[in-house]
Amino acid sequence: MAYITSDRYKEVIYSQDCRHKLKIWFNDVELENADIYCEKLTVSSRIIPNGSKVFMLENFISKEATLILHEVDLSVIKDQVKISIGTLVDNEYEYVPIGIFNIQDKPTTDNGKTTIKLRDNSVKFDFNYNGKELIDNNGGSATKLQILQDICNQAGVVCNITEFLGSEDLIGIYDNTITGRTYVSYLVGQAGAIPTINRDGELIFVYINNLVVHEIPLHFVEKYSDGDLFKISRVVYESGIIKYESGTTDNDTLFLDSSNPYVSSDKQVQSILEIVNGFEINSFSTGKIIGNPAIDSYDLISITDGDNTYITLATNELVYNGVIIQTFDTEIGLEERKENVSLNGENTFKKWAKTEIDRVDARITSEAGRIDTIEISNTEAIKEIQNKFDGYTPLNQTLELEKSVTQIQTDTYTKTEINTKLTDGSVTMLKSTTLTADDEGLTVDKNDSKTKSNLDADGLEIIDKTGASQEVLLEARYDENLGETIVRSKNMRVEKYLNIGTHSRIEDYENGTGVFWIG
């Protein structure tokens, strides 16, 4: 899966006197002499999201970039943005494409420096996917591959996938309240792979037991720290209602997303284990290293120190400002690898109800993201539905179900509220908020919310969930480096007055900004 370079490139890239050149295209128009304008390029991509220590297949790997240009003509800045970095190899520059990006916010300019925030084509999947037309046009069902291709068509992204585990399975239901990104993650996860966008902007699957290993010479590593070894010997899907598992507890367990509607049997989980079994990496982080832009975050890096060789995921941040510097950081926490699932979350229960009803001798028609009608054709079907719903009795072929679930777990308190009503064949779901208290404090999160909060004895954090990096929006705590308590914000908007101390105030004044003494 890694980008293929020449053998000479591999020799030159880690040399001390290596020379580079940057190329940037805005809407397919090259910015001539890009190095003259580029003050700094930062590119980051994580196979494990910031703020998490859990390795999961369903994490959609996104690549983010920040481009700072000096004294550039703003009229040339247009979508899409393509970036490549060249390295001088035997008197000729060999270019490695960094990726194709989309401008996320309006570029900002300060003192002649223009900052441009970029994300790869994964951002195009952030829309609610509606599969009604596809399913209706295919006689009431479509294969998983057709669904994946339809999502890519609606997103405007090339699907570089032709087959995968279960790709020909027929699906007859859909939910248009779920984003295309989540659907893709579900489809790829149940196939034993991880979704990402390649350097040409196409959707690809990454199989973790088929990753390329890049060897980095130890003398180029400023510093490193190693942690726990993570090795997969077991796969578990557990929703709180059903559980499928395969493998042994000799090593570590890979947990599948409990809300994935496409995981439906022990046999399927066994097939996933056959794909991922034996995958082994170290928790590992480095200081600054001479950078190699040909390394992807879903590659592996190998560093040998004496008799010890450390292999880990190439989760990294690359910085270019004439030279290339990378830092690598992959951490998988032992505590978070415990079998510790929130039971009966909204998506989990919705998936369970749909799946089980579909197996009954009944006809299900889906519309507007929910089950609209259930026509029960025989008494055996009625009995099976009764058994599935734990004794709830259908009345005049109308099934009414109300169920609330609360779980308390050792060392972690999780409250999940579910209000589910199945009447006249209509399913109505109410969203729930989850509160988790553990060693990291009290975390408040909600399905599909843009932020989450964490409160502990040291302070408060509000975290932005919209990007792959999950940056801190607001932080209030004691800063060890400054030696004082502070409040730090990434993006603060003061509606009217900003009062500082006792006698100072900043506010809008006519067409500018006013700073006033108050007393």
Side-chain angles (χ1 to χ4, degrees), residues 45-47 61-62 196 295-300 313-316:
S45 180
R46 301 189 63 86
I47 199 167
I61 307 172
S62 299
T196 191
I295 298 177
D296 286 301
S297 66
Y298 47 82
D299 292 338
L300 298 174
L313 291 165
T315 300
N316 72 91

Side-chain angles (χ1 to χ4, degrees), residues 124-192:
K124 293 188 175 183
F125 291 94
D126 292 334
F127 67 96
N128 287 356
Y129 170 66
N130 191 333
K132 175 177 171 55
E133 183 177 355
L134 172 68
I135 290 175
D136 287 351
N137 290 342
N138 284 274
S141 64
T143 67
K144 291 177 182 177
L145 178 59
Q146 287 176 313
I147 292 173
L148 180 69
Q149 291 171 336
D150 189 49
I151 294 170
C152 288
N153 287 338
Q154 292 191 30
V157 176
V158 174
C159 181
N160 198 348
I161 306 297
T162 57
E163 62 178 352
F164 52 88
L165 179 64
S167 59
E168 295 304 311
D169 293 347
L170 289 173
I171 303 296
I173 56 177
Y174 67 94
D175 185 342
N176 64 6
T177 66
I178 297 177
T179 65
R181 177 190 291 268
T182 301
Y183 260 113
V184 170
S185 297
Y186 287 160
L187 288 164
V188 182
Q190 65 87 46

